[in-house]
Amino acid sequence: MMNMIKRVLLLGVLIGLLHSTAYSVGDVRLKQNINREWKFVLSDVKGAEATDFNDEDWQNISLPHSFSIPYFMWSKVYNGYGWYRKAIDIPIEWKDKNVTLEFEGSFIETEVYINGTYLGKHIGGYTGFFFDITRYLNTGKNVLAVRVNNLWKPDVAPRAGDHQFSGGIYRDVYLNVTDKLHVDVYGTFAYTTAINKKEALCEMQTEIKNNYPSGKNCIVQTEIKSPAGKVVSKRQTEISVKGNEVKLVRQVLPGISKPQLWSPESPQQYKAVTTVVADGKVMDKYETTFGLRWFEWTADNGFFLNGEHYYLLGANVHQDQAGWGDAVTNAAMRRDVQMIKDAGFNCIRGSHYPHDPAFVQACDEIGLIFFSENAFWGTGGAFGDRFSWNHPTSSCYPANPEYRPNFDQSVLAQLKEMIKIHRNHASIAAWSMCNEPFFTDWETFKDMKSLLNQATDSVSVWDPTRKVAIGGAQRGEIDRLGKNAVAFYNGDGASRTEFQNPGVPNLVSEYGSTTSHRPGRFFAGWGDVVKTPGYADPWNPPTWRSGQIIWCGFDHGTIFGTGLATMGMIDYFRLPKRQYYWYVEALKKGNRKPQEPEWPVEGIPAKLELKASNTIISSTDGTDDAQLVVTVLDAQNRHISNNIPIELRILSGPGEFPTGRTIRFMPPSKEEASDIAIRDGQAAIAFRSYHGGKTVIQATADGLKPTVIEITTLGTPRWKEGITAPVAERPYHRYEGKVGGQVLDTDQMLLATYRPTWVSSSLEGTNKAYVNDGDVATVWKPVASDREKWWKLALEASYCISKIQVELPETDVVYQYKIEVSVDDLLWKEVISDRVGTKDSKSRTFQGDFGCNIAFIRISFISDEAGLAEVRVGGK
């Protein structure tokens, strides 16, 4: 009885303390950015983890950082190791604190040491991870050493992908300083158990970590604050946590009346403030931002947001940008999100891996529905297990059974990390499991599907509040995996007969795929969207379709080269192509038949205009930057399209371009032109600074008066002109070094497998997709009245074609046909003519130099008899 009285008295004291004292997060919890002042070497150096290792000759760099900086969309990058080292000063005030080292992302294998002691490693390039370093720290100087490699691994996801795979610590790094009794890293989950427009019922799951050796009795209080900061719901729970234990606390909070619902049109957010009290004091305070909203996916009536029908219009977005590659700032990510919003779109698909927390936060705050995708994807080509990042491509799922257990674990581990890190974001409407995993060896199909089923089942445990999506589900009958999963159809999945009103919630997750450098064409690039049977009008979509997402938002670096790299509405330097302005007119302004505006034309260059997205950079920690745009003007201050060499140079003050203190843009037509090009009379680049002070940047061109702009960076340390060492120059060169791996085997003849196809018509019972499905027993034939009789293939990349094999349906029929190739699906070149035709063989193989940069192949029949059983294509 006495113990019970003591507990009640203690509880009363703690509750009184909670009500009477206001504590900011900064009083009990510190999250310190440590992006500045690292040492780096692009090599694998023995003994570099040692505290007394001499790193004076290493590069001085700051984060975010990539092995490949400066990188400008070239198809090859360095594959190997890099080492990072940083001195960390630990104040005496932290002596009794708990310190956790947090990485937001490092590609792809990261080994971490503190003061020479190995902490562990993380494998996976797109999800955050952390280490408790408390017991390894000393007051004063400590040395953090990190060994990173971006080597391709047969048992780690992804094994392939239309992207670039540079190594490095390319996202932010933090120290989390707390009491030993605290909320764990990403340790809260705020969600609604019931919600409508009148009331929302919230539940909070909180992981309380006790790193004291003995147990603690404590109070966990959660307050939910409205967007205006008013407490609208509150719950307190008394718990006991054993020493060195993590305890999950579940709290059902009182209902919130008249909730302010999150939507792209009104991105309202609530905040859950979790306070942990023990031993008569506040031990921790942790804030979780989330939204009140609900999503509904239906097979017959599409997508609903907050009870209202909502058609999704969006863009696929990769994370990398000109010069900096993957290592972009939080501010740069936010600009990307804002550009998609400014075009009138309402959603983004995070292709094809988990994105930075800052990117998803920008979607929350700016107002865009987001689809977060796991790093499990495949690309067509030569399958098997013989791949390096610079020689595409490999079987999505391991061909060798030896690699499969670890690969399964890799996919599920990254999926779990993605969900835990991002689960509180209001914008996320579904977790996508993959992208086009059907690009895999035939014998791996069953195991690939089994892994997808395991992933979908796991999500229902890790986050039962959201739907699962199967990304790139247009092949291999994977669109119906999982319980009530959403099918994401890419490319010709929009128009294929079997995916019309398929009986499952669905959307077109990739359409368009138009290739161009800026400025490009003023058009939508609807692709297969307008080939949807009965729905040629993209503004009148079928009721059963939830939305359509263009491929893609921005140009991006890729191992596949220029053909796939330049499919964005916005170029790599973040300057819009004309296609982007088509969407601004159509979506933002509501003009369903946009009228093409007047574009810049050639003139007489008279001056340069230099502008910045912002002239104040808010911090020196690598989270903020400024986008610089330089434009060629005539004497009347009109933007003209002349491409002249332009140089940006830092005259004074702190800061850097990806190439150092200068960057030069060259006309793409010049022989000496690099990948750093000025196009349509305009060029751009992101500028960042790791010192406080005023920077003067000058733009120059031969024969024109220079123009300058000033950028002020806030924060410390301050730049001291003539004393502070400027960043070293980093001249750009295309990487042509050793890349390892094996050269593509053209005899594999797999370039056509599962690629998008089109036909002039289809006889009932046959299908265009049967021609490149790997099964010679399935065929395509045109209808008898078809006068054109053709089958067309999109390779989805540019190849040098050296072999084409045609399997015909019957041996006792004479087939006559021609085979043509095209770079752009507009101009065609005939490369093979089989107009004589014989009955002697169903299989015809043609070898030769059929051209390079080939993206499309078409087979047209001249004879009355027409049809195909299988087409195989080889090349590089």
Side-chain angles (χ1 to χ4, degrees):
M1 177 64 72
M2 184 60 66
N3 286 337
M4 182 179 294
I5 293 173
K6 287 181 179 179
R7 288 179 62 195
V8 171
L9 290 173
L10 174 62
L11 177 60
V13 170
L14 297 182
I15 292 175
L17 181 65
L18 280 168
H19 281 291
S20 62
T21 309
Y23 290 87
S24 68
V25 175
D27 289 328
V28 290
R29 169 180 285 268
L30 172 67
K31 186 167 187 173
Q32 179 174 302
N33 178 296
I34 57 169
N35 282 349
R36 296 189 72 261
E37 297 177 344
W38 290 70
K39 287 284 191 174
F40 171 73
V41 65
L42 191 64
S43 179
D44 194 11
V45 181
K46 186 175 181 180
E49 73 278 7
T51 303
D52 59 356
F53 180 86
N54 187 352
D55 58 17
E56 288 185 3
D57 294 335
W58 290 16
Q59 298 176 42
N60 295 309
I61 63 98
S62 293
L63 308 180
H65 179 264
S66 165
F67 289 0
S68 303
I69 292 175
Y71 172 75
F72 290 92
M73 224 163 56
W74 183 232
S75 60
K76 296 183 178 68
V77 297
Y78 166 85
N79 290 170
Y81 284 84
W83 273 91
Y84 297 83
R85 286 170 54 88
K86 179 177 175 58
I88 302 174
D89 186 64
I90 301 299
I92 194 169
E93 292 80 12
W94 294 9
K95 182 179 179 181
D96 297 320
K97 295 291 186 180
N98 202 90
V99 183
T100 303
L101 174 65
E102 177 188 351
F103 293 80
E104 288 188 336
S106 178
F107 194 88
I108 185 173
E109 181 176 15
T110 307
E111 301 167 85
V112 183
Y113 301 81
I114 188 74
N115 295 327
T117 299
Y118 178 65
L119 296 176
K121 69 180 177 181
H122 179 266
I123 300 178
Y126 304 102
T127 48
F129 54 97
F130 52 90
F131 298 95
D132 189 327
I133 60 175
T134 306
R135 59 180 172 156
Y136 306 106
L137 294 176
N138 306 311
T139 299
K141 181 183 177 182
N142 295 260
V143 176
L144 174 62
V146 185
R147 181 179 185 236
V148 181
N149 78 74
N150 65 328
L151 300 173
W152 181 81
K153 304 177 193 334
D155 58 352
V156 175
R159 289 166 44 96
D162 164 28
H163 191 45
Q164 190 53 271
F165 301 93
S166 297
I169 308 176
Y170 71 99
R171 293 179 182 169
D172 300 328
V173 179
Y174 293 94
L175 295 177
N176 292 288
V177 185
T178 65
D179 188 85
K180 289 181 170 57
L181 180 67
H182 59 275
V183 177
D184 206 0
V185 180
Y186 295 112
T188 60
F189 186 16
Y191 58 94
T192 55
T193 56
I195 184 171
N196 55 44
K197 293 182 179 180
K198 294 181 179 180
E199 186 179 38
L201 297 177
C202 295
E203 182 169 319
M204 192 75 174
Q205 295 182 14
T206 306
E207 296 174 20
I208 303 298
K209 189 171 188 178
N210 179 19
N211 281 344
Y212 287 102
S214 58
K216 291 285 185 181
N217 295 322
C218 57
I219 294 291
V220 177
Q221 175 180 276
T222 297
E223 292 182 332
I224 296 180
K225 296 184 177 181
S226 71
K230 179 182 177 182
V231 176
V232 293
S233 185
K234 181 165 59 177
R235 179 72 73 198
Q236 294 176 356
T237 304
E238 180 188 7
I239 64 168
S240 295
V241 191
K242 296 178 181 178
N244 299 309
E245 178 189 39
V246 178
K247 188 163 190 175
L248 181 65
V249 180
R250 296 177 183 268
Q251 295 175 305
V252 178
L253 287 97
I256 301 171
S257 61
K258 297 180 180 179
Q260 299 177 59
L261 301 177
W262 183 95
S263 71
E265 293 71 31
S266 180
Q268 302 285 350
Q269 294 192 86
Y270 285 72
K271 184 178 291 183
V273 180
T274 302
T275 305
V276 181
V277 177
D279 300 331
K281 63 179 180 179
V282 173
M283 312 298 280
D284 195 15
K285 185 170 280 194
Y286 190 93
E287 295 182 349
T288 305
T289 303
F290 67 106
L292 300 179
R293 79 287 179 267
W294 74 98
F295 307 115
E296 183 182 2
W297 298 84
T298 70
D300 51 355
N301 290 312
F303 177 76
F304 292 78
L305 172 61
N306 300 329
E308 306 291 335
H309 185 264
Y310 199 91
Y311 196 74
L312 296 162
L313 295 164
N316 286 267
V317 174
H318 273 303
Q319 64 187 358
D320 57 317
Q321 300 187 12
W324 303 105
D326 294 339
V328 297
T329 67
N330 295 347
M333 297 175 213
R334 189 178 184 89
R335 288 195 298 269
D336 278 0
V337 174
Q338 189 66 58
M339 289 187 79
I340 299 302
K341 178 78 169 185
D342 289 345
F345 292 101
N346 57 33
C347 71
I348 287 177
R349 180 183 178 213
S351 52
H352 294 296
Y353 40 77
H355 282 228
D356 191 292
F359 187 97
V360 192
Q361 180 182 347
C363 291
D364 294 343
E365 294 173 354
I366 293 171
L368 283 165
I369 289 171
F370 184 68
F371 302 114
S372 190
E373 196 153 81
N374 198 24
F376 178 26
W377 76 85
T379 53
F383 298 159
D385 291 320
R386 60 192 179 287
F387 182 81
S388 86
W389 294 126
N390 292 299
H391 289 303
T393 182
S394 173
S395 173
C396 180
Y397 192 85
N400 188 336
E402 176 186 346
Y403 303 136
R404 294 175 186 174
N406 283 347
F407 182 80
D408 289 358
Q409 192 277 331
S410 170
V411 169
L412 295 173
Q414 292 183 70
L415 176 62
K416 187 175 185 179
E417 288 169 342
M418 175 180 75
I419 291 173
K420 185 167 186 178
I421 290 168
H422 296 300
R423 58 190 174 178
N424 291 310
H425 287 288
S427 57
I428 295 179
W431 303 110
S432 177
M433 299 297 95
C434 56
N435 182 64
E436 299 183 348
F438 53 77
F439 282 123
T440 194
D441 282 355
W442 315 121
E443 64 270 20
T444 70
F445 248 85
K446 181 178 179 181
D447 289 324
M448 178 271 289
K449 288 185 176 181
S450 177
L451 176 57
L452 280 179
N453 273 320
Q454 189 176 353
T456 60
D457 290 345
S458 297
V459 172
S460 66
V461 175
W462 297 329
D463 178 10
T465 71
R466 290 180 176 93
K467 282 278 192 181
V468 167
I470 306 297
Q474 70 276 11
R475 300 286 190 277
E477 298 180 349
I478 61 174
D479 57 323
R480 296 175 184 274
L481 295 177
K483 298 178 180 178
N484 301 316
V486 182
F488 281 9
Y489 297 123
N490 293 349
D492 66 341
S495 59
R496 289 178 58 177
T497 303
E498 61 268 41
F499 301 136
Q500 306 308 302
N501 200 5
V504 295
N506 66 93
L507 59 74
V508 177
S509 46
E510 292 181 17
Y511 74 86
S513 300
T514 57
T515 297
S516 73
H517 287 289
R518 187 171 54 84
R521 296 167 55 197
F522 183 75
F523 80 134
W526 290 121
D528 274 85
V529 167
V530 294
K531 298 176 183 176
T532 303
Y535 293 94
D537 179 4
W539 305 121
N540 182 31
T543 57
W544 43 265
R545 178 172 288 169
S546 294
Q548 55 207 38
I549 304 176
I550 193 171
W551 185 268
C552 56
F554 302 89
D555 289 352
H556 61 92
T558 170
I559 55 179
F560 286 96
T562 303
L564 285 184
T566 55
M567 289 182 172
M569 299 181 297
I570 302 161
D571 78 2
Y572 202 45
F573 297 84
R574 272 31 189 187
L575 291 174
K577 301 178 187 178
R578 293 178 184 176
Q579 185 181 36
Y580 176 83
Y581 294 111
W582 190 96
Y583 279 98
V584 171
E585 291 294 318
L587 299 181
K588 189 74 171 181
K589 298 182 181 179
N591 302 323
R592 290 300 186 243
K593 295 182 179 180
Q595 299 300 307
E596 190 161 2
E598 291 186 10
W599 303 110
V601 297
E602 283 203 19
I604 300 175
K607 61 185 73 173
L608 300 176
E609 178 185 66
L610 182 57
K611 289 186 175 182
S613 59
N614 46 284
T615 56
I616 295 178
I617 295 176
S618 62
S619 67
T620 60
D621 62 7
T623 58
D624 195 10
D625 66 357
Q627 180 79 350
L628 300 179
V629 179
V630 58
T631 306
V632 181
L633 305 178
D634 65 10
Q636 288 72 45
N637 294 320
R638 294 176 300 197
H639 175 190
I640 57 177
S641 63
N642 299 53
N643 295 324
I644 59 177
I646 293 176
E647 181 180 88
L648 295 182
R649 178 180 295 273
I650 298 172
L651 297 182
S652 63
E656 60 190 271
F657 304 114
T659 50
R661 300 276 285 185
T662 62
I663 185 168
R664 188 168 176 81
F665 302 93
M666 296 297 296
S669 60
K670 296 287 186 180
E671 290 184 4
E672 69 270 24
S674 71
D675 297 321
I676 312 173
I678 175 174
R679 298 179 185 274
D680 206 33
Q682 205 166 48
I685 199 67
F687 164 85
R688 63 178 64 166
S689 175
Y690 292 96
H691 288 83
K694 182 188 293 184
T695 304
V696 179
I697 301 169
Q698 176 182 264
T700 59
D702 289 346
L704 303 183
K705 182 181 178 181
T707 185
V708 300
I709 194 170
E710 293 183 354
I711 305 290
T712 299
T713 304
L714 306 179
T716 57
R718 304 294 294 175
W719 173 267
K720 297 179 180 179
E721 195 70 38
I723 299 176
T724 306
V727 66
E729 293 299 318
R730 297 185 288 257
Y732 171 67
H733 303 286
R734 288 179 171 179
Y735 181 77
E736 297 289 1
K738 183 178 179 181
V739 295
Q742 299 181 16
V743 178
L744 279 178
D745 180 2
T746 58
D747 290 333
Q748 290 295 311
M749 301 288 286
L750 290 169
L751 297 185
T753 306
Y754 282 151
R755 300 294 194 184
T757 57
W758 298 267
V759 289
S760 54
S761 66
S762 289
L763 183 67
E764 187 175 355
T766 73
N767 194 298
K768 61 182 181 179
Y770 292 162
V771 180
N772 59 334
D773 65 353
D775 185 356
V776 295
T778 59
V779 303
W780 161 79
K781 289 185 178 182
V783 298
S785 59
D786 189 348
R787 293 179 177 273
E788 295 184 341
K789 300 189 291 290
W790 54 262
W791 176 88
K792 183 172 68 175
L793 168 74
L795 294 171
E796 296 186 297
S798 298
Y799 293 93
C800 294
I801 304 301
S802 58
K803 187 181 292 188
I804 300 175
Q805 188 177 73
V806 178
E807 294 271 358
L808 299 166
E810 292 97 9
T811 55
D812 58 346
V813 174
V814 175
Y815 296 94
Q816 295 180 331
Y817 54 88
K818 63 179 179 179
I819 302 178
E820 301 167 287
V821 297
S822 175
V823 173
D824 56 8
D825 197 22
L826 296 174
L827 299 176
W828 291 87
K829 176 185 176 183
E830 184 176 326
V831 294
I832 296 169
S833 175
D834 194 9
R835 286 184 168 84
V836 177
T838 62
K839 300 180 180 181
D840 58 348
S841 176
K842 289 172 62 177
S843 179
R844 315 284 177 85
T845 301
F846 306 94
Q847 290 184 277
D849 181 4
F850 300 126
C852 287
N853 295 319
I854 303 303
F856 298 89
I857 296 174
R858 183 170 65 191
I859 301 177
S860 302
F861 287 84
I862 303 161
S863 57
D864 291 335
E865 296 292 340
L868 294 167
E870 198 70 20
V871 171
R872 304 180 184 92
V873 178
K876 63 179 181 179

